[in-house]
Amino acid sequence: MAYKQHNQTRHIPLPSKPPVLVKDWEAINKHIAEALSNEVLRVQRATKDLQIQRHDSIYTGISGIAMMEYHLAGISIPLQHDALTPKSLIHVADQHLARVIRYRPPYVYSFNRLSFIESGVGIAALVLSRGLWTSEPTIVGNWKAAKDFLESNVEQVLLEDAELYSPGEKEDGCEVLYGRAGLLYALLYLRNSISGKPHHEIASLENLTSDSNLARLVDSIMSRGKHGAFSLASEFRMDDQPQLPPLMWTWHRKRYLGGAHAGILQILLACPGSIIQKHLSEILGTIRWLITCQDEAGNWPSKCPTQRGVSSENELVQWCHGAPGVIILLSTTLRVLHDHEGFAADGVRDDIVRSIQQGARFVYKHGLLRKGVGLCHGVAGSVYALLAASDALDSSSNKRFFAKAAHLAFLATLREDLTTSKEMLIPDHPWSLYEGIAGACCAYAEVLSRLDSNDSRRSVSGFPGYNDFCGI
């Protein structure tokens, strides 16, 4: 690909250092604020000319632009333009969502596309989260169809678990991007959006987002993970098996780590404690195993080791493969499982802290990615990983990881210059949430919000579609 003209590297060497002096922070704050306003307006203008695709999704579609606008509306930042107030953002987001609904085919179940990010499940979740409070007629008129679709997805997924299928399918279909963890996220997203609202307004959604439905999906994911771990163990010699994880999932029969494997664990940890309590030992055991897969540089292999001492190369540094997705998981682990009895044994907390430190240093060094500024395999994913490290490890007097996150966000605002100089590529969907500028806008807003706060740390790092709410 284009990496050959840049000595095969996938990242751009950092041209400057993190902010230290007050004037450095002021300059970064001003620059990111201006970039956020300009880029959001550019995304919205570009969206007017974009055609609705048959399989519009949060990942690359106009529904993802709506997701950006809803996300920004919920972040407290001093915006630079009247069109970017929460009220204006929500209004435009409703219009974008309605446009997708009008031109998209009816909801259709697909066994290999049932996630929030890459299927109609995400669109349905947005419709339900807005349908009770918006006056937009298309969204309101689509509300029942969206509810029926999500309910049928949950039932169909659980029905598949009860049917006979090949052994390989018993560990597949759980990842965040396409599978069951993505469907679980959709229910959690919806549950979070109606939390605290009057009972009479949300009663019609309580069954869909109930503990019972969440627990059934969690049990399905865990069952497949245990089966996958058993399958993995059968490929190793008996003396190697203590080094293997209690949970392992596949995607298209391949065992991916990073955003795929860590992502499933991340969504499980976003569930209410009462639902995952019985599974915590296996979850923590798998997280501890993930730490052992980290290489000396601080990255993780893309795929699971196939035999002792042998694994795939660790060349990818992006949310979907490599350190960023794992760092976010480890930060969440410290927050959610700090009272678990497993933390008191064998120094597991210290191991997690060291792993985050090493991984975050690596992400910062290699995080200015040539693929662009998006969430999935761009600079925004690196920024969110460093924000997660800040959540876990920074103090009010030492903001080292937040400084690095802010610095990468600042460098991402130079994307036009980097593209002109051919150091950075233009993605296939340059305005989208997961590949393009919309995702960077979310990262900019997160950094600005923390700059405007007395404490730059947050309980979550706010990656849209991944960990943008706490456990419920």
Side-chain angles (χ1 to χ4, degrees):
M1 202 174 168
Y3 305 118
K4 291 184 178 179
Q5 60 182 319
H6 297 288
N7 299 320
Q8 302 293 333
T9 63
R10 294 177 178 269
H11 69 278
I12 304 168
L14 301 181
S16 56
K17 295 182 179 180
V20 177
L21 303 176
V22 172
K23 65 177 183 180
D24 298 333
W25 284 105
E26 290 175 346
I28 279 184
N29 194 338
K30 181 175 183 293
H31 197 89
I32 294 177
E34 291 175 352
L36 174 61
S37 295
N38 292 334
E39 296 287 47
V40 170
L41 293 174
R42 286 176 181 172
V43 169
Q44 291 177 334
R45 285 195 296 268
T47 302
K48 294 179 181 179
D49 298 324
L50 293 178
Q51 293 184 341
I52 305 293
Q53 301 298 313
R54 176 177 174 81
H55 298 293
D56 191 279
S57 69
I58 302 294
Y59 193 94
T60 58
I62 293 177
S63 54
I65 305 301
M67 176 76 172
M68 174 202 74
E69 291 155 340
Y70 291 134
H71 188 84
L72 294 180
I75 299 178
S76 176
I77 50 175
L79 292 172
Q80 308 290 313
H81 196 286
D82 290 343
L84 303 183
T85 63
K87 182 177 180 181
S88 295
L89 285 165
I90 290 174
H91 174 70
V92 177
D94 282 352
Q95 291 181 324
H96 286 150
L97 181 58
R99 185 177 160 205
V100 172
I101 297 167
R102 284 194 294 268
Y103 291 98
R104 194 179 187 278
Y107 297 118
V108 177
Y109 175 81
S110 174
F111 74 93
N112 60 358
R113 281 182 182 268
L114 17 95
S115 71
F116 180 90
I117 297 172
E118 274 283 15
S119 80
V121 164
I123 298 170
L126 292 184
V127 168
L128 293 182
S129 70
R130 287 292 300 143
L132 295 176
W133 298 284
T134 184
S135 59
E136 210 296 320
T138 305
I139 295 176
V140 174
N142 192 253
W143 194 88
K144 185 179 186 303
K147 180 172 177 287
D148 291 344
F149 174 68
L150 273 186
E151 289 175 341
S152 67
N153 265 264
V154 174
E155 292 304 320
Q156 185 63 37
V157 162
L158 297 172
L159 179 63
E160 288 175 5
D161 287 342
E163 294 176 345
L164 294 176
Y165 40 71
S166 66
E169 290 174 331
K170 291 182 180 179
E171 61 205 60
D172 208 346
C174 290
E175 70 288 341
V176 176
L177 273 175
Y178 297 98
R180 283 163 169 74
L183 177 59
L184 177 60
Y185 171 89
L187 298 188
L188 292 169
Y189 174 89
L190 183 56
R191 179 167 164 144
N192 184 67
S193 72
I194 64 176
S195 178
K197 300 293 193 301
H199 180 266
H200 70 277
E201 294 183 358
I202 64 173
S204 55
L205 292 177
E206 286 187 332
N207 182 60
L208 178 60
T209 61
S210 66
D211 284 1
S212 174
N213 266 356
L214 296 180
R216 292 161 73 198
L217 272 178
V218 167
D219 289 347
S220 169
I221 293 169
M222 290 295 298
S223 175
R224 287 169 176 253
K226 291 175 183 178
H227 185 277
F230 177 82
S231 176
L232 175 66
S234 68
E235 300 173 13
F236 282 71
R237 296 190 301 270
M238 188 63 67
D239 58 345
D240 289 336
Q241 291 190 11
Q243 306 295 324
L244 297 177
L247 300 170
M248 172 56 64
W249 298 274
T250 65
W251 179 54
H252 289 224
R253 307 294 177 86
K254 296 179 181 178
R255 300 187 180 105
Y256 289 102
L257 301 186
H261 199 72
I264 297 171
L265 297 167
Q266 171 68 37
I267 305 305
L268 290 173
L269 290 181
C271 292
S274 59
I275 290 175
I276 60 171
Q277 180 64 40
K278 64 182 180 180
H279 302 301
L280 286 182
S281 293
E282 290 93 347
I283 291 172
L284 183 57
T286 305
I287 291 170
R288 296 183 68 179
W289 172 80
L290 266 178
I291 292 174
T292 69
C293 296
Q294 188 176 24
D295 64 25
E296 293 183 0
N299 202 16
W300 275 264
S302 297
K303 298 177 183 178
C304 173
T306 55
Q307 56 182 309
R308 190 173 187 177
V310 177
S311 64
S312 61
E313 294 184 6
N314 308 354
E315 60 179 8
L316 298 177
V317 189
Q318 50 201 44
W319 170 70
C320 50
H321 295 292
V326 184
I327 291 171
I328 294 174
L329 166 67
L330 296 180
S331 173
T332 301
T333 303
L334 287 182
R335 184 181 76 251
V336 174
L337 298 186
H338 60 89
D339 290 332
H340 188 266
E341 60 183 12
F343 261 61
D346 303 326
V348 62
R349 186 186 187 282
D350 292 339
D351 291 342
I352 292 176
V353 168
R354 281 193 295 269
S355 184
I356 294 174
Q357 290 173 331
Q358 190 177 9
R361 286 192 292 264
F362 183 82
V363 167
Y364 173 64
K365 181 178 179 181
H366 300 274
L368 187 60
L369 299 171
R370 297 195 187 279
K371 285 188 174 182
V373 295
L375 291 170
C376 188
H377 36 257
V379 186
S382 303
V383 172
Y384 275 115
L386 293 171
L387 291 175
S390 174
D391 294 336
L393 304 179
D394 279 354
S395 65
S396 57
S397 61
N398 186 349
K399 303 178 180 180
R400 53 180 173 162
F401 291 114
F402 177 66
K404 292 175 179 178
H407 185 222
L408 275 191
F410 164 74
L411 294 176
T413 67
L414 307 177
R415 64 168 187 85
E416 288 186 299
D417 293 337
L418 294 170
T419 301
T420 300
S421 65
K422 299 188 184 304
E423 292 183 274
M424 185 175 283
L425 305 175
I426 299 176
D428 293 337
H429 302 87
W431 306 107
S432 66
L433 184 61
Y434 271 74
E435 284 189 7
I437 298 167
C441 289
C442 295
Y444 297 156
E446 182 75 26
V447 170
L448 286 177
S449 179
R450 295 176 185 228
L451 282 169
D452 196 47
S453 170
N454 292 327
D455 190 347
S456 62
R457 296 167 300 165
R458 291 284 179 86
S459 59
V460 295
S461 61
F463 190 118
Y466 189 56
N467 74 323
D468 43 347
F469 49 79
C470 300
I472 304 164

